[in-house]
Amino acid sequence: MMKLDRRTFMKGAGASTAGCALASLLPGTLGALEQTELKGSAIEVKSICEMCSTRCPISARIVNGKNVSILGNANAKSFGGAVCARGGAGHSLLYDKQRLVKPLKRVGERGEGQWKEIEWDEAYALIADKLGTIKEKYGPEAVSFSSKSGSNHKHLFHLAKAFGSPNTFNHGTTCPTAYKIAAFAIFGTKMKRDLGNSKYIINFGHNIYEGINMSETRGMMKAQADRGAKLVVFEPRFSVVADKGDEWHAIKPGTDVTVALALCHVLIKDNLYDKAFIERHVIGFDEFAKEVAGYTPEWAESISDVPAEDIRRIAHELAAAAPHAVIDFGHRATFTTEEFEMRRAIFAANVLIGNIERKGGIYAGKKAKTYNKFAGADVTPGLAKPKVDMPKPTAKRIDMVDQQYEMLWSNGGIYQSILDSALDEVPYKTRGWVMSRTNPMQTMTDRARVVKAMNAMDFIVCCDVYVSETAAYADVILPESTYLERSEEVFDKSGKNPAYYVRQPVVETIGDTRPSWQIWKQVADALGLGQYFPWENIETLQLLQVKKDAKLLNRIKQEGYVSFGKPLMLREPEMVANFAAQYDTARTLDEDGTYASAMKFKTPSGKIELSSAKVEKMAPGRGVIKYREVNLKKADELFFIQGKTAIHTNGATHNVPYLANLMSDNAVWIHPLTAGLLGIKSGDAIRLHNDVGSEEGKALVTPGIRPDTVFAYMGFGSKNKELARAFGKGVHCGNLLPHVTAPVVGMNLHTTGVKVEKI
């Protein structure tokens, strides 16, 4: 076995970059330019990573005039002052010869890979002409705007409003939206996990030891290692989080909801729930209790394969650890059409043990306005939004075709409805698509349908750092500066107390790229909409955000991550006491030493709603949480599930040199019994196929998965040659997944059935 030391690793990374001949041939890439000297700061610059959506605080600098050192920011204590493998590879993206550094115009057919390098002014003029023509003929609503959520979407969506289109979409329905919408239905707001203080954690495949969120991952590590927390994992495969758990239950794909409901059944039937909390803060309990009366552990076992005696025991252990216990509601390996009920059932179990606003449970974030309200004074600064009188769209959104999706219309929308509109013209046809750093060709289901929809459009603009699979079908590609080269506005990172951080450039811009805030402002100028972007530059916008408090802005820039006040959870007596002692004007404590009496929720009732009249009105029959059977595969197929790896971010990083070297393929996990029946051994070439598509890959035979299930990490198997390292490497999961939208939450269906054969 070859020893992998730093020298070998660096040598391999360099070879990967230099060895891709395409990089020097494709117009507009770094490889097509003459080599330029890297210029930047030798002094540490505090900034924000963007190798994944977590966006951890970092401290970076130039070393020896050519290398970039990227470390964590020690001021962000919950992040541990560290970065993950992806974060440490940011300089590999910066130097990559395949990275885009000039605007490109398509000169061949879509997806053919024929590009011409153009100047920014020409790109802006072309975009203004094409979008203006669509707007004049069909109305502004005929153009949709989409972006991954975070730093990229705000300026693009601002442009959409200025343009007059109501159709703005983030990536949520391909990933996290289900638990967000479920939280809105029950609590009226998003909720956060306090994993670091938990004594007992139940996990339904939320693999944060691979799909890493530094703060949450370190929190769970701390809970397990320092506090002796027990971790119980329900997941069809033996993932890293299952490996680190105290118990792993190989649950049948798509049946998680039965176990969650059975846990609720036991908590209620055996009087293990927090009656005082329920009586004071919850409505709809009686209706919910009546529904779950029939969801016994034995019933759940008959569907999920999890033993009834284990479900009953785990419910009792959970109650014993309450309120410092949590059932994790995050991302998971198995997605079904019943995501809304699954996530609500998980939230319901948390509510029953009374862990809301308690250490180790779940809580609502405390931004400055809320925090100051409890302090009785403006003890922490808040951020302002620039006041711009924006036009109001006159047309309805394209996803307003069904009332059950009402909560999505102001929360990212149903992303895949862009495809429905382009192909089916319901409620009208989408003819233009402007997108920023989003890759639906990888993250949406039924790749062939995505291709068909893009080919049906008049004009497509992509802003990205690579010619991604999606950008390969665009008419114009705008090269965004990497996160190491750009400044952005101040971001609110509040949790138990207010906190802010900001992105700043570590190096001077390489090539002719621009930050997305500048790109969309200049597109607006070209469209004659410049009055809606009144800030001259990012510094002007930052000052508007901090209400012209230059001292505060300088502090945020110097420290990179600034946290104000003391952590506050409204029902945690010690935290409330420390908070009240900090501020003379603080709200008077309740008799029990908490702020429980002030706990209000943004639901119609102002309380936690285990059953919801609002949901019943928008989605008849769903006001009460209940089980509905799902059918994910045919009788002669295997379940096909996917998940995240610690090396890559969804469909975004597979072409980054260092990360491609660490992991370039996604072998398909298959159980030894199943493999034996099919005559398959580890390393064999296999084909996965179903009614949607067909993919070829390699087998990884392992007992760490159910015999009726196969698994692959997502984001691999690129089908466009511009991504030379990722092209043809592994199984493209989206090419096997059907186009199905889940009720209420609008999620893509990311679980299906496949047949497997040796080739």
Side-chain angles (χ1 to χ4, degrees):
M1 180 180 294
M2 183 182 76
K3 179 181 178 182
L4 184 63
D5 56 19
R6 186 176 185 276
R7 177 173 296 180
T8 308
F9 181 67
M10 295 288 285
K11 182 178 179 181
S16 175
T17 303
C20 296
L22 180 67
S24 62
L25 298 176
L26 184 67
T29 59
L30 184 59
L33 296 182
E34 293 183 5
Q35 187 172 356
T36 57
E37 181 182 354
L38 183 65
K39 296 180 180 179
S41 176
I43 301 172
E44 287 187 338
V45 175
K46 302 298 192 295
S47 191
I48 305 172
C49 180
E50 196 162 352
M51 295 300 287
C52 82
S53 298
T54 301
R55 301 181 176 89
C56 297
I58 60 172
S59 180
R61 63 189 177 94
I62 294 295
V63 180
N64 298 328
K66 56 182 179 180
N67 298 324
V68 183
S69 166
I70 303 174
L71 304 173
N73 185 340
N75 294 324
K77 292 181 173 56
S78 69
F79 292 84
V83 293
C84 69
R86 293 167 294 181
H91 62 292
S92 182
L93 167 63
L94 177 72
Y95 285 119
D96 187 6
K97 292 182 179 180
Q98 294 178 38
R99 179 167 74 90
L100 285 177
V101 292
K102 289 286 290 185
L104 294 179
K105 172 185 175 181
R106 179 174 60 83
V107 292
E109 296 297 319
R110 282 201 173 123
E112 191 177 45
Q114 298 297 314
W115 303 99
K116 178 185 177 182
E117 186 178 303
I118 60 175
E119 299 301 322
W120 282 98
D121 287 347
E122 182 181 350
Y124 291 148
L126 179 59
I127 292 169
D129 176 59
K130 295 295 185 180
L131 294 186
T133 298
I134 293 173
K135 182 176 182 179
E136 183 179 353
K137 287 185 176 181
Y138 309 106
E141 65 272 16
V143 180
S144 287
F145 298 76
S146 70
S147 173
K148 71 173 182 178
S149 56
S151 62
N152 295 276
H153 81 276
K154 294 180 181 178
H155 298 278
L156 178 61
F157 290 3
H158 192 79
L159 172 64
K161 290 180 181 178
F163 187 74
S165 175
N167 293 312
T168 57
F169 301 87
N170 64 30
H171 74 292
T173 53
T174 67
C175 193
T177 284
Y179 61 78
K180 181 179 179 181
I181 297 301
F184 279 7
I186 292 180
F187 303 101
T189 187
K190 294 186 293 185
M191 301 298 284
K192 296 176 178 287
R193 296 166 285 260
D194 186 30
L195 293 169
N197 289 307
S198 286
K199 296 180 180 178
Y200 198 97
I201 302 168
I202 294 177
N203 182 294
F204 285 94
H206 181 206
N207 189 10
I208 60 174
Y209 287 154
E210 287 188 275
I212 293 174
N213 175 314
M214 285 298 291
S215 181
E216 292 184 349
T217 300
R218 290 183 62 86
M220 193 155 82
M221 290 171 63
K222 177 182 176 182
Q224 288 188 270
D226 298 345
R227 301 183 183 278
K230 183 170 183 177
L231 174 62
V232 178
V233 179
F234 297 98
E235 187 174 4
R237 72 174 183 116
F238 192 59
S239 64
V240 175
V241 77
D243 175 56
K244 304 305 178 188
D246 296 275
E247 295 182 25
W248 170 51
H249 298 272
I251 192 169
K252 184 179 180 180
T255 66
D256 310 59
V257 65
T258 65
V259 174
L261 288 170
L263 289 172
C264 292
H265 169 94
V266 176
L267 290 171
I268 295 172
K269 184 175 184 299
D270 293 357
N271 291 312
L272 301 173
Y273 66 99
D274 188 333
K275 298 181 183 64
F277 178 79
I278 296 295
E279 290 173 2
R280 188 176 189 183
H281 298 290
V282 177
I283 68 166
F285 171 77
D286 291 340
E287 296 92 328
F288 176 68
K290 181 179 179 181
E291 178 63 33
V292 300
Y295 299 144
T296 67
E298 287 73 22
W299 164 81
E301 178 181 0
S302 69
I303 301 172
S304 69
D305 294 340
V306 178
E309 60 183 20
D310 287 331
I311 296 174
R312 189 168 281 107
R313 170 183 54 80
I314 290 167
H316 278 257
E317 292 176 355
L318 175 70
H324 308 302
V326 67
I327 304 93
D328 193 345
F329 52 80
H331 306 76
R332 60 198 184 95
T334 306
F335 284 83
T336 79
T337 51
E338 288 303 309
E339 288 302 295
F340 185 54
E341 305 296 37
M342 170 58 189
R343 309 295 181 159
R344 284 203 297 172
I346 290 177
F347 280 125
N350 283 294
V351 170
L352 291 176
I353 63 172
N355 70 357
I356 314 303
E357 295 289 336
R358 296 299 305 270
K359 279 187 175 182
I362 62 178
Y363 65 98
K366 311 295 187 300
K367 293 189 176 183
K369 183 178 179 180
T370 300
Y371 195 86
N372 291 339
K373 179 181 177 181
F374 283 99
D378 290 340
V379 298
T380 65
L383 296 181
K385 294 182 179 179
K387 295 181 179 179
V388 184
D389 188 14
M390 302 293 290
K392 293 185 178 180
T394 57
K396 288 186 176 182
R397 294 174 55 90
I398 56 175
D399 54 1
M400 283 185 170
V401 294
D402 192 330
Q403 191 68 27
Q404 68 173 310
Y405 299 116
E406 178 182 339
M407 287 189 286
L408 279 160
W409 299 338
S410 59
N411 287 288
I414 304 175
Y415 195 5
Q416 61 272 24
S417 65
I418 295 176
L419 311 183
D420 300 334
S421 173
L423 294 172
D424 304 327
E425 302 188 22
V426 176
Y428 48 84
K429 183 176 175 62
T430 292
R431 298 176 180 273
W433 193 354
V434 183
M435 62 187 91
S436 181
R437 296 293 298 280
T438 181
N439 192 10
M441 201 71 81
Q442 265 285 355
T443 58
M444 282 189 189
T445 56
D446 193 350
R447 184 185 187 279
R449 195 168 188 272
V450 182
V451 172
K452 187 177 179 181
M454 294 186 76
N455 281 330
M457 294 186 187
D458 297 350
F459 189 66
I460 300 172
V461 180
C462 280
C463 176
D464 213 321
V465 295
Y466 284 114
V467 183
S468 70
E469 276 203 83
T470 303
Y473 283 77
D475 297 284
V476 175
I477 307 177
L478 305 176
E480 185 186 35
S481 305
T482 69
Y483 70 94
L484 294 169
E485 301 168 291
R486 67 179 192 257
S487 292
E488 285 173 358
E489 63 265 43
V490 178
F491 296 104
D492 194 318
K493 199 68 173 176
S494 300
K496 296 167 192 167
N497 50 299
Y500 307 108
Y501 65 166
V502 68
R503 176 170 286 131
Q504 303 180 86
V506 180
V507 303
E508 293 184 8
T509 303
I510 299 174
D512 193 12
T513 67
R514 296 179 183 180
S516 60
W517 69 264
Q518 181 182 0
I519 291 171
W520 304 125
K521 175 178 169 59
Q522 291 174 337
V523 169
D525 290 338
L527 284 162
L529 303 171
Q531 70 269 30
Y532 298 114
F533 289 76
W535 46 90
E536 180 181 351
N537 51 42
I538 199 65
E539 289 76 19
T540 305
L541 180 56
Q542 290 171 343
L543 279 170
L544 288 172
Q545 286 185 286
V546 297
K547 305 170 187 176
K548 298 184 179 180
D549 187 342
K551 185 177 180 181
L552 171 61
L553 180 58
N554 287 335
R555 181 186 173 190
I556 296 172
K557 286 184 175 182
Q558 289 173 8
E559 297 182 23
Y561 182 94
V562 181
S563 179
F564 294 92
K566 289 184 176 292
L568 177 63
M569 299 179 82
L570 302 183
R571 295 180 58 244
E572 193 60 49
E574 183 182 359
M575 280 188 174
V576 173
N578 290 336
F579 175 86
Q582 177 79 8
Y583 307 111
D584 295 336
T585 54
R587 178 189 175 94
T588 303
L589 276 62
D590 295 349
E591 290 184 2
D592 62 358
T594 73
Y595 284 149
S597 64
M599 196 164 64
K600 299 290 188 296
F601 297 89
K602 296 178 182 179
T603 57
S605 65
K607 293 187 175 185
I608 297 169
E609 299 189 354
L610 283 186
S611 300
S612 170
K614 177 182 177 180
V615 171
E616 182 63 30
K617 182 179 179 181
M618 57 181 264
R622 291 187 177 271
V624 179
I625 305 168
K626 61 179 62 177
Y627 170 75
R628 292 173 176 80
E629 184 178 1
V630 296
N631 184 20
L632 299 173
K633 72 178 186 67
K634 297 177 180 178
D636 60 346
E637 292 179 329
L638 299 169
F639 289 106
F640 176 50
I641 61 174
Q642 309 90 52
K644 299 184 178 185
T645 169
I647 305 301
H648 290 292
T649 300
N650 302 333
T653 63
H654 297 70
N655 205 64
V656 176
Y658 277 17
L659 301 181
N661 282 350
L662 285 174
M663 186 177 186
S664 62
D665 206 337
N666 60 343
V668 179
W669 294 29
I670 183 168
H671 192 276
L673 290 176
T674 309
L677 291 172
L678 298 173
I680 294 172
K681 297 179 181 178
S682 279
D684 282 350
I686 59 173
R687 185 167 73 97
L688 284 67
H689 61 99
N690 56 20
D691 293 340
V692 178
S694 177
E695 286 289 308
E696 295 181 2
K698 294 181 180 179
L700 174 62
V701 179
T702 171
I705 193 162
R706 288 173 55 99
D708 60 358
T709 304
V710 291
F711 166 87
Y713 289 110
M714 68 164 295
F716 294 84
S718 171
K719 298 186 184 300
N720 66 297
K721 294 181 179 180
E722 290 94 331
L723 298 178
R725 299 182 197 90
F727 174 64
K729 301 287 182 65
V731 171
H732 190 299
C733 298
N735 201 37
L736 294 165
L737 298 170
H739 176 70
V740 177
T741 296
V744 186
V745 294
M747 295 290 293
N748 267 170
L749 180 60
H750 279 190
T751 304
T752 191
V754 295
K755 294 180 181 179
V756 180
E757 59 188 36
K758 182 178 178 179
I759 56 176

